Amino acid sequence: MNTSAPESALGKPLEAGLYIVATPIGNLGDITVRAVDVLRGCDVIACEDTRVTGKLLKHCCVTTRMQRYDDHASDRQRGALIDMARSQAVALVSDAGTPLVSDPGYRLVKDARDAGIAVTSLPGACAAITGLTLAGLPNDRFLFAGFLPVKEKARTDVLNELAEIEATLVFYETGPRIERSLRAIADIWPDREVAVARELTKLHEECRSGSAAQLADHYAANPAKGEIVLLIGPPAETAQNHDIDALLIGALADLSPSKAAGQVARMTGEDRQTLYARAVELKTK
Ligand code: SAM
């Protein structure tokens, strides 16, 4: 039995604690040097599926012991990992990408933190962020909303709940469900720009943009395979409203709400009464 402290590839022993390790979302070349280092040097790797993680470990020539873990694990199993992390290095990976992002780990991290155990996170691939960097949609504000529900009513409820959010919305989806989700989006937001980022970092990577209806027609004719990030651009009026608010605020610096509304109405062609109501609102904020 090896009783010495685990060593990383750089020859420095890993300190005890919980290491959250991001792994590739398709292209194994995306594993980070530090991730390999920690996976090689830790005492145990907690993973969702030992077959999936086993392939990655084999690719990286890592022979560390694996142990199955997900958030449905019993308190006893989680407690055992936490206990181990008090004196040993425990790594957590998911099947792909960043653990805890629509993947297990939340409970483990929470319990570890509550127990005063050192938790550190090694950043790496994440499908939501990769999709966001490809889609060409505004990304100064985005909201990641996980998987859209499968059932029609629940899906519509979620979309309606997010309708007012002034940000790009990011969802996880799968090939067989994409057309139905796009049809639901087309019913609610016919004008918002949508992007489907599919099979990211893999051989058949693609990112397709258009209205939800256009994309639904495309995937009806060419059924989508594989893994998908679905992105919906912010409401068009968001940008416009922001501009109008900015114009009104500028005008209100020197003018009364009524005069400011008149000025902005002349500049934008917007309804003067509506602008006046907004100007009064802004003035009293
Ligand atoms: N934790 C992962 C991450 O950091 O992206 C996500 C895990 S979640 C269970 C799996 C979902 O992520 C897939 O159904 C898909 O929506 C998205 N996904 C994962 N890999 C992807 C890829 N290569 N291309 C597009 N989407 C991907």
Side-chain angles (χ1 to χ4, degrees), residues 134-138 167-169 182 185 189-196 207-215 230-236:
L134 260 192
L137 291 169
T168 288
L169 305 176
L182 287 166
I185 293 163
W189 301 312
D191 300 327
R192 283 172 75 161
E193 189 178 353
V194 175
V196 172
C207 186
R208 198 170 277 277
S209 309
S211 70
Q214 285 167 339
L215 291 169
L230 171 63
L231 304 103
I232 305 171

Side-chain angles (χ1 to χ4, degrees), residues 135-159:
L137 291 169
N139 52 35
D140 51 334
R141 299 181 82 201
F142 64 89
L143 186 140
F144 172 65
F147 284 94
L148 267 176
V150 182
K151 292 199 174 144
E152 196 179 328
K153 170 147 185 353
R155 184 170 52 217
T156 308
D157 286 350
V158 167
L159 291 174

Side-chain angles (χ1 to χ4, degrees), residues 8 19 29 45 61 111 121 125 158 170 235 238 252 264 268-269:
S8 74
Y19 294 75
I45 299 170
C61 303
D111 287 1
S121 185
V158 167
V170 185
T238 298
L252 283 168
V264 176
T268 62

Side-chain angles (χ1 to χ4, degrees), residues 23-31 56 59 125 199-203:
T23 58
I25 55 169
N27 188 326
L28 295 184
D30 291 334
I31 187 90
L56 174 71
H59 174 81
E199 293 290 89
L200 296 167
T201 78
K202 303 185 202 174
L203 189 61

Side-chain angles (χ1 to χ4, degrees), residues 25-26 48 94 96-103 125-128 147 171-174 197-202 227-229:
I25 55 169
E48 287 182 271
S94 57
T98 301
L100 283 85
V101 178
S102 292
D103 264 339
C126 174
F147 284 94
F171 299 97
Y172 282 159
E173 252 311 345
T174 58
R198 199 172 67 79
E199 293 290 89
L200 296 167
T201 78
K202 303 185 202 174
E227 300 188 287
I228 290 174
V229 181

Side-chain angles (χ1 to χ4, degrees), residues 14-94:
L14 283 180
E15 287 181 12
L18 178 62
Y19 294 75
I20 308 302
V21 182
T23 58
I25 55 169
N27 188 326
L28 295 184
D30 291 334
I31 187 90
T32 68
V33 173
R34 193 167 158 230
V36 175
D37 197 27
V38 166
L39 293 176
R40 191 169 287 154
C42 67
D43 295 278
V44 63
I45 299 170
C47 60
E48 287 182 271
D49 184 331
T50 52
R51 281 164 310 176
V52 174
T53 298
K55 283 186 196 152
L56 174 71
L57 297 189
K58 194 165 172 222
H59 174 81
C60 303
C61 303
V62 170
T63 55
T64 310
R65 177 170 78 84
M66 290 178 279
Q67 181 174 323
R68 246 199 106 255
Y69 174 80
D70 64 31
D71 277 339
H72 303 296
S74 65
D75 290 347
R76 198 168 58 80
Q77 279 174 307
R78 191 164 38 255
L81 276 175
I82 300 279
D83 273 346
M84 207 183 292
R86 289 180 203 281
S87 57
Q88 299 186 317
V90 175
L92 173 75
V93 299
S94 57

